[in-house]
Amino acid sequence: MKQDSTPTRPISVFKSGQKSKDSLKEGPAGKLIVIYGDRLGKQYHLGPERKLIGRLGQSDILVDDSSVSREHAMIERRDGRFVLEDLKSTNGTFVNGEFVDVCVLNHGDKIRIGNTVLQLIVEG
């Protein structure tokens, strides 16, 4: 009887120490809480998917402020960390008072977009 050499399940092509595409997004959950601005106390849960921050009605994190660009910034998880990226907004994005283009965020960081301040809470 001839044996079929076709594998019956997927075989990992990653060697020890390499990360799969899915593991790049793994990590603790988080949330952004509005600590200053119109939506004081509003919470936005963060997971592995990218979140758009802006004035546009379809934004995942809506900041209804004329000083905020329609597509102002985005936040996503990379290598288990939350990364904030300014999307070439008119008035900039600030983390802990510093202007940023791209920034790895830490628990407790304060993000200012327009007249709104959000604080990152990393869960777990």
Side-chain angles (χ1 to χ4, degrees), residues 38-59:
D38 281 342
R39 297 175 183 233
L40 187 63
K42 174 82 174 153
Q43 296 184 21
Y44 299 95
H45 293 278
L46 304 174
E49 66 283 341
R50 177 181 295 188
K51 299 281 187 175
L52 176 65
I53 304 169
R55 197 178 73 231
L56 195 62
Q58 293 88 354
S59 295

Side-chain angles (χ1 to χ4, degrees), residues 27-119:
K31 60 184 170 184
L32 290 176
I33 302 172
V34 178
I35 60 169
Y36 184 85
D38 281 342
R39 297 175 183 233
L40 187 63
K42 174 82 174 153
Q43 296 184 21
Y44 299 95
H45 293 278
L46 304 174
E49 66 283 341
R50 177 181 295 188
K51 299 281 187 175
L52 176 65
I53 304 169
R55 197 178 73 231
L56 195 62
Q58 293 88 354
S59 295
D60 301 301
I61 300 170
L62 181 63
V63 181
D64 193 16
D65 177 342
S66 61
S67 65
V68 173
S69 297
R70 288 179 301 224
E71 293 184 350
H72 195 98
M74 70 93 186
I75 188 169
E76 69 180 335
R77 196 161 48 205
R78 296 182 198 160
D79 292 326
R81 309 276 311 267
F82 290 104
V83 177
L84 177 72
E85 182 176 347
D86 183 83
L87 299 176
K88 302 196 185 321
S89 64
T90 303
N91 294 316
T93 302
F94 299 82
V95 174
N96 300 324
E98 299 285 324
F99 173 81
V100 297
D101 284 321
V102 177
C103 178
V104 175
L105 299 170
N106 296 300
H107 175 77
D109 281 349
K110 293 177 178 74
I111 303 162
R112 183 172 61 82
I113 295 177
N115 295 314
T116 299
V117 179
L118 304 119
Q119 186 169 26

